[in-house]
Amino acid sequence: MKLSAGYWKAAVALLSLGLVSGAIVAKDISIKVVDRTGDKLFGKQLEYPATFDKVPRIQSTTPLSISFKAETTSGPLRLDQALVSFQHTATGNEVALPAKAMGKSGVYKMEVTRKQFRKHFDAAPGKYNLALVLGSHAEGGLLYKLGDVFMGESSSKSQASVASPGYGPREEIGHRFAEAQRMPNAAVSLVFSCAVVGLLVGLLAVWARLGVNVGNLQKEALGSVGFLGLVAAYVGLAVAYWVGVKLFPTLAYALVLALPTFVTGRYALSKRIQKGI
């Protein structure tokens, strides 16, 4: 959200007049700038009232994140207001982005997403004063100036890109291939396969111990063969889902198989009961 310059002047006036107690302390302040691959381009740890000297440049592809811990003399504090203020040094316009609480330990974090960057900073690049604006109804408030950052491309670079006729050699395109996806150890697949085969062997052993007579299937071949064939189709469907079929098509195929499986199973069972098999 954008707030007028008078809002922050009033906050500073309250602090200076002592109407705000200023009992809040910001600790463990971390400022990070990373690229899309996760490599850290800039990082700084601060303790109140120190500021950072190096001025990083923030792009939409290099998100800025700020985390801190709010405390009082009695311990961690749950804030009623936690904002990170960006004030343009040339125009005086300000953007305030909220910091979200990370649990009940008093830790807060703010990240400039691509959507927020395009909304607030693409049209107004330049140098911004960065500050924490913290407030609590019980403990008062804190205005902590962290330093300066450059948001977006410089005005000279953007003007040069607009004035360029589009002819001549292009800038070198740096490409970074995606890192290979980490896969589980091959031993995991072998153990799983052995477990499946072991369960099948155990099933056959239990059947043999119970004295299952497979020859009785010939007395009611139609119902038994149909039912076992549909059960085998369910097994094949499970294998197809494991190989690559999506979840919802798999459920649709299973519903199609459900009715004939029920009918053939009921038919085969009734015939076996009638014949006393």
Side-chain angles (χ1 to χ4, degrees), residues 138-176:
E139 301 295 338
L142 174 66
L143 178 62
Y144 178 15
K145 296 182 178 180
L146 302 175
D148 299 328
V149 293
F150 283 108
M151 305 297 289
E153 297 182 353
S154 62
S155 57
S156 60
K157 184 176 180 180
S158 59
Q159 291 175 0
S161 61
V162 173
S164 175
Y167 302 103
R170 298 291 185 182
E171 295 182 0
E172 181 180 358
I173 300 176
H175 181 74
R176 181 172 181 176

Side-chain angles (χ1 to χ4, degrees), residues 190-202:
L190 293 176
V191 170
F192 178 78
S193 301
C194 293
V196 172
V197 174
L199 290 175
L200 180 60
V201 173

Side-chain angles (χ1 to χ4, degrees), residues 3-11 87 91-94:
L3 299 174
S4 63
Y7 177 88
W8 304 116
K9 291 179 180 178
Q87 183 180 24
T91 63
N93 294 333
E94 298 186 25

Side-chain angles (χ1 to χ4, degrees), residues 158-268:
S158 59
Q159 291 175 0
S161 61
V162 173
S164 175
Y167 302 103
R170 298 291 185 182
E171 295 182 0
E172 181 180 358
I173 300 176
H175 181 74
R176 181 172 181 176
F177 290 96
E179 298 181 0
Q181 184 179 3
R182 296 183 62 182
M183 302 296 291
N185 196 319
V188 176
S189 298
L190 293 176
V191 170
F192 178 78
S193 301
C194 293
V196 172
V197 174
L199 290 175
L200 180 60
V201 173
L203 176 63
L204 296 178
V206 171
W207 282 0
R209 187 179 181 85
L210 294 176
V212 175
N213 186 4
V214 183
N216 287 333
L217 295 177
Q218 298 178 357
K219 299 179 181 180
E220 182 49 55
L222 180 61
S224 300
V225 172
F227 176 72
L228 293 178
L230 289 170
V231 172
Y234 270 106
V235 175
L237 182 61
V239 173
Y241 172 69
W242 182 59
V243 171
V245 179
K246 300 298 182 181
L247 176 61
F248 288 104
T250 303
L251 294 176
Y253 298 149
L255 290 176
V256 172
L257 293 174
L259 182 60
T261 303
F262 173 76
V263 173
T264 54
R266 184 180 178 85
Y267 174 78

